[in-house]
Every structure is written in C-alpha cells, then in structure tokens.
C-alpha cells in the first residue's frame, strides 16, 4: 500500500500524468457551475508559471477515496466515493450511485471512516514548538505533527506578552499563513496542517479571570491597540478572546466583528448583562467555557449563564478530562447541542512531548502526568484533537459523527471558514482524516496529499 501511495503522490505532485482533463470530466458530468468556479480558483504556482510560459493548461490526476463510511459531517454516507482533483473535492457520492472514472486512482481505506480534517481554533503549540517563538521551519514541523492527530487547519493562538514580542510573533505567523495559503507547492510532498488565521487570546482579558496570562501584559481594550495588533498580523486575525465587561470592550468588539473577526467572550468576570452586551456588540462565540470565567450561580448566572442559554452563541470547551469534569462536559454538550459545540485543544508546546518544562509565550509551563501548570494554575493542555473527539463520543454519549462535527464544521463555521474547511462537499479543500471505526487517526490528507 505504502509504495503504491508514494507513486501516486509523485504523479500528483508532478501534475503531468493526468489521464484526462478535470474540466472535461466536470463538464461531462454536468458540473459546469463548479467547473467554472474552479477555473477561477485554479491558482497553483504550477498553473501560474505555466500560464506565464504560454504553456497549455496542465491537467491533474483524479484521486478517488473510498472506505466503509463517510461523514460530511452533516450526513453519513455508506460505501462512499470521494472525488479529489487539484487539492479540492469535486464530488461526494456512493458506490451505488457513481462509478470510479476510467483512469482515476482509487484508494480504498477498507473499514475506515472518511471525515473532514479537524480544525483547531485555539492552540498554542505542540511537539515542542511554541507558536509565539516559532520560526517558519518550526511551524512546518508543528504542521506535520498535527496531521498525526487528524488536524489539517489551525489557529495559532497568542498569549498576553510584551507588545514587541506579540507583534513579532504575529508578523512571523502572518508570513507562514501567506506562504502556505495559495499553493500546495510550498508544502512539498509532506501534508501539513496549515495556519488559517490567528487567535488573539489577550491582551484584552480580565485581571480577575486571567488564568496564567501575565497581569503586566494585559491591556484595556482600545481601538488603537487592536489596530496595532491587526496591522502586525496583516489582517490575519481570525479570532479574538475578550472580556466584554472591560471599559472600551464593546467598541473593540464591534470593530473586530465588522472586520469579520470571530469575537469570543472569555477570560471574563462578566455578569449576565455585560456578557449579553458583548453579544449584542458582535461577539458570537465563547472561549473554553467554564475555564477562566465567573462561575455559574443560580441567582447570578454571569457569563456562563449567557453562554449556555443563548442559541446565537457557539462555544468551545477543553474536553481533556482535566479542565472540566465529565459531568460538566455533558452539561455543555447538552446546552450547546450538535451545531454549536466546538472542541479545542488549548494545547501548549508540551503536547506530544514527555513531562518537563516548555515555553508558553513569555512563560514556562511545567508538565507532570499530562497536567500543564504555572505556579499550580492550569496553563493550557497536552490534549490532541483526535482524543478530544473520542472523549466527547465516550463522555457525552454522542455518535462519532456528531463528535467529529464539533471538531470540523462547527469550528470552521464559528470562524467563518466553511464551506472551504471542516466539511466534505463539492468545492471544499480536500482535507480529510481517515479514522478507524472507534475514532483513531489512520491517515490525514491535506489538499489531496496523503501522509
Ligand atoms: Zn489558550
């Protein structure tokens, strides 16, 4: 199987040996709309250089994936056929409804499940790499490691730090987002999870609910500080955690929402009215529900009361069995349901590493027996996304499909990345995780490249 796959990779990467043109196939199947849309987005480096050289348009080998089941994840398809060309999904069907086109390469994953690659919208690092210190080579290593856990896209997440360190980190991450955005060519032959946007966790956090974020680096929300961070990140801020009760927060929330940032309330001591004011200003998500939030009281429900009861709000949770008890994870899943529950890892550089000391922005985390702490306070996790999915299936009693949905479509939707990410549908990126029937990662495919 493996040598065969390598051959397929080579063919795919050279993009020279296609048996027929994707355009011909699409139009022969009546997919003219998709074909014309894809024509506009066929912008790989190879195509651009071919066009510059006056070459005829290159064609791309089609790959067809099959397994026992497929989660879109809104639907489950038995005996699926998933058609992929030039890194994008061109058709989702079943063996009963479609045939493999002549000349296409069929990869059969047996009793496995095909699902969208996981999208982690809150992670600080892994495999020894801290995203705020990371060089492009470090982020490439992190991206490769993330595919072991089924992750194909993620939001590198900052912590409160000196402004010059934060801005330098934002610039470096923005470089990698741009370098990996337009072309699989920069990925070489190795599938890697890509940074899709930046999550600013700080500096606009409550001193009272700061967790381990250093108090000296927290800031009052102002449009000036937000603009400074936005400029350093060259507009790649996709998400921002903010305490809505802080003076000036509502103005910053409104401006960030206007720029299509997913504004997420968290690290907050807000009462119910302040949390609701944040939502009214434009927040539509909540960060690691229960952690670093004023606790729920039956006469003073606070921010948690708003998060659990407002159906406009999606929310995320760290389902590692350490941050939140399993009974409270069940409460959360029940409240937010299948369409608004989001799984995050909040992973630090320690994820995937042995116990020891690891960097987290300007801080050092101590890891013992899977607990990350700074001065005894929880400081991120060593959770991986595949484990979070299995935990929700086990703790929450959810079907694997719905647990997968909380790690794919729901986060992608929360941060505005669907339908390109988090879903297996025509036109979306061919980011696929191949899962065992019990949710272990067997293989990860990023834009059609298999691990
Ligand atoms: Zn975090």
């Amino acid at each position: 199987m493996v040598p065969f796959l390598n051959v397929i990779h080579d063919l795919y990467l050279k993009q020279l040996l296609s048996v027929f043109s994707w355009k011909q196939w699409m139009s022969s199947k009546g997919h003219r709309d998709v074909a014309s849309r894809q024509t506009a987005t066929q912008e790989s480096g190879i195509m651009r250089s071919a066009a510059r050289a006056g070459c005829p348009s290159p064609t791309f080998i089609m790959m067809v994936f099959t397994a026992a089941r497929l989660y879109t994840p809104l639907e489950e398809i038995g005996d699926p056929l998933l058609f992929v060309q030039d890194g994008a999904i061109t058709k989702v069907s079943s063996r009963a409804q479609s045939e493999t086109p002549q000349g296409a390469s069929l990869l059969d994953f047996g009793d496995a499940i095909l699902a969208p690659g996981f999208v982690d919208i809150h992670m600080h690092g892994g495999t020894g790499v801290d995203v705020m210190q990371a060089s492009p080579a470090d982020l490439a290593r992190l991206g490769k490691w993330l595919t072991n856990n089924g992750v194909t896209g993620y939001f590198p997440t900052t912590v409160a730090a000196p402004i010059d360190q934060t801005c330098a980190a934002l610039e470096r991450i923005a470089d990698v987002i741009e370098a990996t955005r337009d072309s699989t060519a920069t990925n070489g032959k190795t599938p890697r999870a890509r940074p899709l946007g930046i999550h600013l966790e700080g500096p606009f956090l409550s001193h009272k609910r700061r967790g381990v974020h250093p108090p000296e680096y927290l800031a009052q929300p102002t449009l000036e500080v937000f603009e400074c961070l936005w400029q350093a990140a060259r507009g790649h801020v996709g998400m921002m955690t903010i305490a809505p009760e802080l003076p000036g927060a509502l103005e910053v929330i409104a401006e960030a929402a206007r720029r299509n940032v997913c504004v997420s309330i968290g690290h907050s001591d807000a009462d119910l009215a302040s949390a609701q004011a944040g939502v009214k200003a434009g927040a539509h998500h909540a960060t690691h529900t229960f952690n670093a939030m004023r606790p729920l009281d039956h006469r003073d429900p606070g921010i948690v009361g708003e998060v659990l009861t407002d159906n406009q709000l999606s929310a995320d949770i760290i389902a590692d069995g350490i941050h939140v008890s399993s009974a409270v994870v069940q409460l959360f899943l029940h409240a937010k349901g299948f369409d608004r529950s989001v799984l995050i890892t909040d992973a630090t550089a320690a994820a995937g590493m042995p116990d020891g000391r690891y960097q987290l922005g300007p801080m050092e985390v101590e890891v013992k027996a899977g607990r990350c702490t700074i001065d005894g306070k929880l400081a991120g996790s060593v959770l991986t996304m595949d484990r979070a999915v299995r935990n929700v299936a086990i703790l929450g009693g959810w079907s694997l499909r719905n647990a997968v949905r909380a790690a794919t479509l729901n986060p992608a939707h929360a941060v505005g990345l669907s339908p390109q990410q988090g879903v297996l549908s025509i036109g979306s990126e061919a980011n696929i995780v191949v899962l065992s029937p019990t949710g272990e990662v067997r293989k990860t495919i990023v834009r059609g490249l298999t691990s």
Side-chain angles (χ1 to χ4, degrees):
M1 193 64 163
V2 170
F4 171 69
L5 285 176
N6 286 339
V7 170
I8 295 301
H9 296 169
D10 289 343
L11 294 180
Y12 179 60
L13 280 163
K14 288 172 187 165
Q15 300 184 334
L16 294 171
L17 300 177
S18 175
V19 279
F20 58 91
S21 142
W22 65 272
K23 283 184 201 167
Q24 286 166 358
W25 182 81
M26 297 288 279
S27 52
S28 75
K29 295 290 178 187
H31 285 270
R32 287 192 179 81
D33 287 344
V34 177
S36 56
R37 193 165 71 234
Q38 295 229 341
T39 304
T41 57
Q42 296 288 346
E43 286 292 330
S44 78
I46 289 173
M47 285 202 73
R48 281 196 296 271
S49 51
R52 274 198 299 273
C55 302
S57 292
T59 52
F60 301 90
I61 195 162
M62 171 177 285
M63 300 176 82
V64 181
F65 300 101
T66 187
R69 285 176 285 161
L70 177 147
Y71 301 154
T72 65
L74 291 176
E75 288 181 276
E76 177 170 340
I77 299 173
D79 294 329
L81 288 177
L82 183 65
F83 297 72
V84 170
Q85 205 152 25
D86 188 29
I89 292 169
T90 55
K91 189 177 180 182
V92 184
S93 187
S94 69
R95 277 178 258 174
Q97 291 176 324
S98 301
E99 290 182 356
T100 306
Q102 193 186 12
S105 298
L106 179 70
L107 295 188
D108 187 346
F109 292 105
D111 68 346
I113 299 159
L114 304 177
F118 301 143
V119 177
D120 190 351
I121 58 174
H122 189 147
M123 63 89 67
H124 303 280
T127 196
V129 175
D130 177 67
V131 296
M132 287 189 76
Q133 327 287 326
S135 66
D138 293 332
L139 288 179
R141 188 155 55 87
L142 176 65
K144 183 171 186 301
W145 174 76
L146 283 167
T147 63
N148 300 341
N149 317 322
V151 174
T152 56
Y154 68 102
F155 273 18
T157 303
T158 61
V159 293
I163 189 79
D164 56 332
Q165 280 182 31
T166 302
C167 288
L170 295 176
E171 286 169 18
R172 281 195 300 270
I173 297 168
D175 288 343
V176 176
I177 289 173
E178 289 169 8
T180 55
R181 181 177 52 190
D182 296 327
S183 173
T184 50
T186 49
N187 262 341
K189 290 184 182 181
T190 307
R192 293 191 176 96
R194 287 193 298 127
L196 301 170
I198 298 169
H199 179 169
L200 297 175
E201 188 181 19
F204 308 136
L205 310 179
S206 156
H207 277 261
K208 196 164 175 196
R209 303 288 174 192
R210 65 182 175 81
V212 298
H213 292 259
E216 62 271 35
Y217 305 132
L218 301 182
Q220 290 294 313
T222 64
L223 291 178
E224 289 70 29
V225 174
F226 174 69
E227 186 65 34
C228 171
L229 298 169
W230 178 267
Q231 293 297 336
R234 299 201 293 279
H236 293 299
V237 176
M239 185 168 181
M240 178 175 65
T241 295
I242 183 167
E245 72 277 17
L246 298 178
L250 299 184
E251 198 182 5
V252 171
I253 290 172
E255 180 57 24
R258 195 183 66 75
R259 298 185 194 191
N260 295 320
V261 174
C262 169
V263 180
S264 185
I265 52 175
H267 280 280
S268 162
D269 197 44
D271 60 14
L272 183 64
S274 300
Q276 287 172 338
V279 173
K280 200 168 170 213
H284 66 90
H285 191 77
T287 295
H288 43 51
T289 308
F290 300 107
N291 293 117
M293 283 181 178
R294 174 200 286 234
L296 180 78
D297 178 279
H298 57 296
R299 276 187 288 271
D300 177 15
I303 179 173
V304 171
E306 168 62 8
V307 173
L308 295 184
T309 59
D310 188 337
N311 288 342
Q312 297 171 41
L313 218 58
S314 54
D316 59 55
I317 196 160
I318 309 168
D320 64 349
I322 293 173
H323 280 75
V324 185
S325 92
S326 60
V328 176
V329 171
Q330 287 183 51
L331 169 69
F332 170 86
L333 296 172
H334 194 74
K336 299 317 296 177
F338 298 136
D339 54 348
R340 289 181 293 276
S341 297
V342 171
L343 300 179
I344 57 166
T345 64
D346 202 1
T348 64
M353 301 293 284
D355 285 357
R357 300 184 78 83
Y358 297 91
Q359 208 68 29
L360 174 60
M363 303 167 278
E364 204 175 58
V365 186
E366 186 171 6
V367 185
K368 269 190 197 153
R371 283 179 78 89
C372 298
T373 56
I374 297 174
D375 298 331
K377 278 187 182 177
L378 275 178
S381 82
V382 294
L383 183 62
T384 55
M385 205 48 141
D386 57 323
R387 196 151 56 83
V389 167
R390 291 194 298 273
N391 285 348
V392 161
I394 295 162
L395 298 177
W398 277 18
S399 68
L400 186 57
R401 180 174 68 79
N402 279 318
V404 162
R405 181 175 173 182
T408 55
L409 181 59
N410 293 358
H413 185 70
V415 298
L417 289 173
S418 58
Q420 276 71 41
Q421 307 286 337
V423 62
L424 300 180
S425 64
I426 294 174
S428 60
E429 279 189 12
N431 298 329
I432 303 155
V433 59
V434 181
L435 297 171
S436 76
T438 49
E440 283 84 19
V441 176
R442 287 184 178 167
K443 192 166 283 293
T444 300
I445 297 162
V446 183
R447 287 174 160 171
L449 286 173
T450 63
S451 57

mmCIF file of all heavy atoms in Angstrom, residues 122 124 157 201 213 288 346, ligand 1:
data_model
loop_
_atom_site.group_PDB
_atom_site.id
_atom_site.type_symbol
_atom_site.label_atom_id
_atom_site.label_comp_id
_atom_site.label_asym_id
_atom_site.label_seq_id
_atom_site.Cartn_x
_atom_site.Cartn_y
_atom_site.Cartn_z
ATOM 1 N N HIS A 122 -7.983 26.997 18.686
ATOM 2 C CA HIS A 122 -7.318 27.506 19.898
ATOM 3 C C HIS A 122 -6.180 26.565 20.252
ATOM 4 O O HIS A 122 -6.364 25.558 20.919
ATOM 5 C CB HIS A 122 -8.340 27.583 21.045
ATOM 6 C CG HIS A 122 -7.821 28.279 22.273
ATOM 7 N ND1 HIS A 122 -8.628 29.022 23.094
ATOM 8 C CD2 HIS A 122 -6.584 28.347 22.825
ATOM 9 C CE1 HIS A 122 -7.921 29.506 24.100
ATOM 10 N NE2 HIS A 122 -6.670 29.104 23.959
ATOM 11 N N HIS A 124 -1.721 26.659 21.166
ATOM 12 C CA HIS A 124 -0.504 27.450 21.366
ATOM 13 C C HIS A 124 0.740 26.724 20.886
ATOM 14 O O HIS A 124 1.816 27.310 20.867
ATOM 15 C CB HIS A 124 -0.337 27.782 22.852
ATOM 16 C CG HIS A 124 -1.508 28.515 23.432
ATOM 17 N ND1 HIS A 124 -1.688 29.872 23.271
ATOM 18 C CD2 HIS A 124 -2.587 28.084 24.140
ATOM 19 C CE1 HIS A 124 -2.819 30.243 23.873
ATOM 20 N NE2 HIS A 124 -3.386 29.168 24.395
ATOM 21 N N THR A 157 -2.423 30.515 18.449
ATOM 22 C CA THR A 157 -3.072 31.360 19.446
ATOM 23 C C THR A 157 -2.034 32.017 20.329
ATOM 24 O O THR A 157 -1.142 31.339 20.865
ATOM 25 C CB THR A 157 -4.045 30.487 20.267
ATOM 26 O OG1 THR A 157 -4.975 29.883 19.363
ATOM 27 C CG2 THR A 157 -4.790 31.298 21.307
ATOM 28 N N GLU A 201 -5.540 35.562 21.996
ATOM 29 C CA GLU A 201 -6.059 35.299 23.349
ATOM 30 C C GLU A 201 -5.349 36.300 24.249
ATOM 31 O O GLU A 201 -4.293 36.042 24.782
ATOM 32 C CB GLU A 201 -5.782 33.858 23.788
ATOM 33 C CG GLU A 201 -6.492 33.523 25.090
ATOM 34 C CD GLU A 201 -6.223 32.104 25.572
ATOM 35 O OE1 GLU A 201 -5.247 31.500 25.125
ATOM 36 O OE2 GLU A 201 -7.003 31.603 26.396
ATOM 37 N N HIS A 213 -2.218 34.163 32.171
ATOM 38 C CA HIS A 213 -1.717 35.290 31.363
ATOM 39 C C HIS A 213 -1.103 36.334 32.302
ATOM 40 O O HIS A 213 -1.771 36.766 33.247
ATOM 41 C CB HIS A 213 -2.853 35.901 30.537
ATOM 42 C CG HIS A 213 -3.366 34.990 29.463
ATOM 43 N ND1 HIS A 213 -3.006 35.112 28.138
ATOM 44 C CD2 HIS A 213 -4.194 33.925 29.525
ATOM 45 C CE1 HIS A 213 -3.598 34.164 27.433
ATOM 46 N NE2 HIS A 213 -4.330 33.429 28.250
ATOM 47 N N HIS A 288 -13.117 28.553 25.827
ATOM 48 C CA HIS A 288 -13.004 27.489 26.836
ATOM 49 C C HIS A 288 -14.016 27.679 27.980
ATOM 50 O O HIS A 288 -13.664 28.024 29.106
ATOM 51 C CB HIS A 288 -11.587 27.206 27.317
ATOM 52 C CG HIS A 288 -10.674 28.364 27.625
ATOM 53 N ND1 HIS A 288 -11.022 29.404 28.432
ATOM 54 C CD2 HIS A 288 -9.388 28.597 27.243
ATOM 55 C CE1 HIS A 288 -9.988 30.224 28.550
ATOM 56 N NE2 HIS A 288 -8.993 29.767 27.826
ATOM 57 N N ASP A 346 -6.442 23.863 23.172
ATOM 58 C CA ASP A 346 -5.655 24.785 24.019
ATOM 59 C C ASP A 346 -4.281 24.178 24.288
ATOM 60 O O ASP A 346 -3.678 24.394 25.347
ATOM 61 C CB ASP A 346 -6.396 25.097 25.331
ATOM 62 C CG ASP A 346 -5.927 26.411 25.967
ATOM 63 O OD1 ASP A 346 -5.052 27.085 25.393
ATOM 64 O OD2 ASP A 346 -6.434 26.741 27.058
HETATM 65 ZN ZN1 LIG B 1 -5.284 29.262 25.379
#
